[in-house]
Amino acid sequence: MSTLAAADLGTVLQLVPVRRAGVALLLAAVGLPVIGVVIVGLDIMPVRFAMMHVALLGIAIGLLTGIDPMLCALVACALSGAGVAPLARTPDGLSGAMGLLMSLAVAAALLVLAVSGVNASGAFALLWGSILSVGTADLVVLGALAVVVPSLFRWKRRDVALLLYDRELAECSGVPVRFLTTALLVLVAVAVAGAIKLTGALLVDALTLLPALAARRLGRSLWSIILWAVGIGVAVNLTGFLLALWLDWPPGPVLVLTAGAVVLAAHLFPERRNSSWRAPASVTPASLPSSH
């Protein structure tokens, strides 16, 4: 196993692609773990898998048309997220829709690549990630997510807390459930597409879901869970990236293993929350936990 000396690591960190990748991971650590909280709170695990396939279709269309593949992936994921929002009322309905969407998206992607004669290596390379090829457009997307996602939670924290706690209770309390669900699903879809280049479609959970899982164990309320998720995301991304550079290993798998270790460590501590911020529909407003 080859490792870099401290002086060599410092030299590597001065390289523009490496510094750009570090900035991308810091931006991702602000917005994407909050998206993970949404995924866990709405119980929409199948969505991230479906969006990976939709992103592949968007990339294939981009390679065929000559349009930026990542832009096509972002648009395809955003439209798909908005399109499946009406089916998100029940987990069963959403799971079935995601299964259909995954099958159709990957079939369409393979057909586009086969019929067009486009070299598929560029499309499938994103399944494994290419963090050192992060460009300005990727930084813009991640920066926008780093601003929009926390701002939405801060601005609509009561509505989001009610929605994640119980959909029916939120609707009875006057929360615009359909609009908010659509907005959150679009953000989830765009976040998955935006993170693909960092870790690859197959390992995107390292940036979204795993910090949220650890944070749920440590936080007492929705807002504290979000703060924990962001803090864990920053620590995992920086530690995993530096470790990958030092060991000269692929960053994606190292980030996943680092995040997984944090999740396991978090479960060694007793659960701090007094009650879950997700609950059955039979709860009353008085029993709703604080979102602060």
Side-chain angles (χ1 to χ4, degrees), residues 38-123:
V38 173
I39 292 174
V40 175
L42 290 179
D43 195 17
I44 52 174
M45 302 290 184
V47 169
R48 71 192 197 281
F49 294 117
M51 291 307 136
M52 296 172 194
H53 292 75
V54 172
L56 181 61
L57 173 59
I59 292 167
I61 293 173
L63 293 174
L64 173 63
T65 60
I67 304 173
D68 181 13
M70 286 308 299
L71 175 61
C72 292
L74 287 169
V75 172
C77 287
L79 293 176
S80 298
V84 301
L87 301 174
R89 297 179 184 178
T90 63
D92 292 339
L94 188 59
S95 298
M98 291 301 98
L100 176 62
L101 184 59
M102 282 189 287
S103 302
L104 294 178
V106 73
L110 294 175
L111 184 61
V112 169
L113 293 171
V115 171
S116 64
V118 174
N119 186 353
S121 60

Side-chain angles (χ1 to χ4, degrees), residues 17-220:
V18 174
R19 295 171 66 178
R20 189 183 292 121
V23 172
L25 286 172
L26 280 176
L27 292 174
V30 177
L32 300 187
V34 184
I35 293 295
V37 174
V38 173
I39 292 174
V40 175
L42 290 179
D43 195 17
I44 52 174
M45 302 290 184
V47 169
R48 71 192 197 281
F49 294 117
M51 291 307 136
M52 296 172 194
H53 292 75
V54 172
L56 181 61
L57 173 59
I59 292 167
I61 293 173
L63 293 174
L64 173 63
T65 60
I67 304 173
D68 181 13
M70 286 308 299
L71 175 61
C72 292
L74 287 169
V75 172
C77 287
L79 293 176
S80 298
V84 301
L87 301 174
R89 297 179 184 178
T90 63
D92 292 339
L94 188 59
S95 298
M98 291 301 98
L100 176 62
L101 184 59
M102 282 189 287
S103 302
L104 294 178
V106 73
L110 294 175
L111 184 61
V112 169
L113 293 171
V115 171
S116 64
V118 174
N119 186 353
S121 60
F124 286 101
L126 289 175
L127 293 175
W128 319 110
S130 181
I131 191 170
L132 295 180
S133 67
V134 169
T136 303
D138 302 301
L139 293 178
V140 169
V141 172
L142 293 172
L145 288 170
V147 173
V148 171
V149 175
S151 298
L152 176 63
F153 270 69
R154 187 69 179 176
W155 177 40
K156 294 288 187 181
R157 58 184 178 184
R158 174 188 174 276
D159 291 352
V160 172
L162 279 169
L163 178 61
L164 298 183
Y165 187 68
D166 184 85
R167 191 184 309 272
E168 293 181 10
L169 179 60
E171 197 161 10
C172 294
S173 302
V175 175
V177 169
R178 292 186 181 181
F179 173 79
L180 191 56
T181 301
T182 300
L184 291 176
L185 283 175
V186 169
L187 286 176
V188 169
V190 171
V192 170
I196 282 178
K197 191 175 284 188
L198 299 181
T199 60
L202 299 179
L203 301 177
V204 73
D205 286 349
L207 303 181
T208 56
L209 192 61
L210 296 183
L213 291 176
R216 288 185 70 233
R217 186 74 182 182
L218 301 171
R220 293 181 178 271

